Amino acid sequence: MESPNMTLRDVPSEDRPRERMMLYGAQALSNAELLAILLRTGTYQESAVHVAQRLLLECGGLRMLTDMSMEQLTEIKGIGEAKALQIQAGIELGRRLARSTMNETVTIRSPQDVAALLMEDLRYLQKEHFVCLFLNTKNHVIGQETLSMGSLNASIVHPREVFRAAIKRSSASIVCAHNHPSGDPTPSPEDVEITKRLVQAGEIVGIDVLDHIVIGDKRYVSLKELGFM
């Protein structure tokens, strides 16, 4: 590891991230080296690699970095607004790439389709996000909206917000989903209760709630498959 007081111009060219990437490919670089390429420059005292190493250490690793806000990033020494934006842009590109194999018109036929669409968006988040997919009569996704962001262990959503958004899009049906930051998708009693309330409200307004998916870390659970709706 390079000295904290060593700047990138002091590092032999074969050890610089960009040179290493050109020689060996991106797969040969560490997380810190890839981040350093996004950052481009360090500080007067530190190279970009060292700033990247310290950033990963202070935020708790690459996974935690994905959920850091602009304000949290810029609190870290050596990370200004421009560098924070570069980091967030890189993360968003990665998310979009993870979804890029999907057809432009997404059809929901099963819980697996919902998980494939939302997993990369939700699995890293440190707070619960309640998301609705709005479908037409052919079960094509015509819209997606995050309707609430809760605490670390609770997501509060009211049926009126859900169905106001669904009616605005002329939805025939909806699928609900939210993440569990713990990584364990096992539904809580609150998850079951809000699902039942949404189903009842949907019956009144004539918009079917097809499923409620709980997203964990590379795992998901369908409340419909579990018999809760």
Side-chain angles (χ1 to χ4, degrees):
M1 182 184 297
E2 54 185 282
S3 166
N5 295 320
M6 182 182 291
T7 60
L8 201 56
R9 62 179 172 271
D10 299 319
V11 180
S13 61
E14 64 270 17
D15 293 332
R16 296 177 188 172
R18 278 179 290 186
E19 281 78 358
R20 278 173 39 76
M21 186 168 172
M22 289 179 67
L23 286 171
Y24 309 115
Q27 67 276 8
L29 273 61
S30 67
N31 291 340
E33 288 174 314
L34 290 170
L35 261 179
I37 290 175
L38 285 176
L39 296 176
R40 296 182 59 203
T41 60
T43 67
Y44 183 75
Q45 297 87 4
E46 297 178 302
S47 73
V49 174
H50 191 268
V51 172
Q53 288 170 337
R54 186 163 47 75
L55 169 59
L56 289 171
L57 184 64
E58 291 188 29
C59 76
L62 194 61
R63 174 173 176 150
M64 298 303 178
L65 181 62
T66 63
D67 199 34
M68 291 188 75
S69 66
M70 172 75 72
E71 292 74 19
Q72 289 172 319
L73 286 169
T74 54
E75 285 176 0
I76 295 174
K77 181 181 177 183
I79 306 294
E81 287 187 358
K83 285 183 170 59
L85 286 170
Q86 287 160 203
I87 291 168
Q88 291 186 327
I91 290 168
E92 181 59 24
L93 278 172
R95 285 175 173 155
R96 293 185 187 190
L97 180 61
R99 301 192 302 263
S100 64
T101 56
M102 302 196 67
N103 295 329
E104 197 160 313
T105 300
V106 179
T107 303
I108 301 300
R109 302 183 183 88
S110 67
Q112 290 92 329
D113 294 331
V114 180
L117 180 62
L118 298 177
M119 180 71 72
E120 293 306 314
D121 280 342
L122 298 181
R123 61 183 283 231
Y124 297 114
L125 299 176
Q126 299 305 301
K127 291 185 178 181
E128 286 196 4
H129 288 55
F130 189 94
V131 177
C132 271
L133 300 179
F134 306 102
L135 313 180
N136 62 17
T137 55
K138 296 182 178 180
N139 281 11
H140 294 162
V141 177
I142 56 175
Q144 174 181 327
E145 186 173 345
T146 299
L147 293 173
S148 79
M149 289 182 287
S151 66
L152 285 174
N153 55 15
S155 183
I156 301 171
V157 63
H158 196 282
R160 67 170 169 264
E161 278 79 36
V162 173
F163 289 101
R164 181 186 296 124
I167 291 168
K168 185 169 66 176
R169 290 170 173 81
S170 300
S171 308
S173 59
I174 64 172
V175 175
C176 303
H178 77 281
N179 62 304
H180 279 181
S182 67
D184 180 359
T186 303
S188 67
E190 292 79 11
D191 296 339
V192 175
E193 178 60 27
I194 187 61
T195 301
K196 291 178 178 178
R197 289 174 61 200
L198 289 169
V199 169
Q200 291 170 355
E203 289 172 350
I204 293 171
V205 300
I207 298 176
D208 291 335
V209 181
L210 301 182
D211 208 339
H212 184 175
I213 307 297
V214 185
I215 303 286
D217 188 4
K218 293 187 178 180
R219 295 184 291 158
Y220 67 90
V221 165
S222 160
L223 271 76
K224 184 171 185 177
E225 288 185 341
L226 292 179
F228 290 117
M229 55 188 302

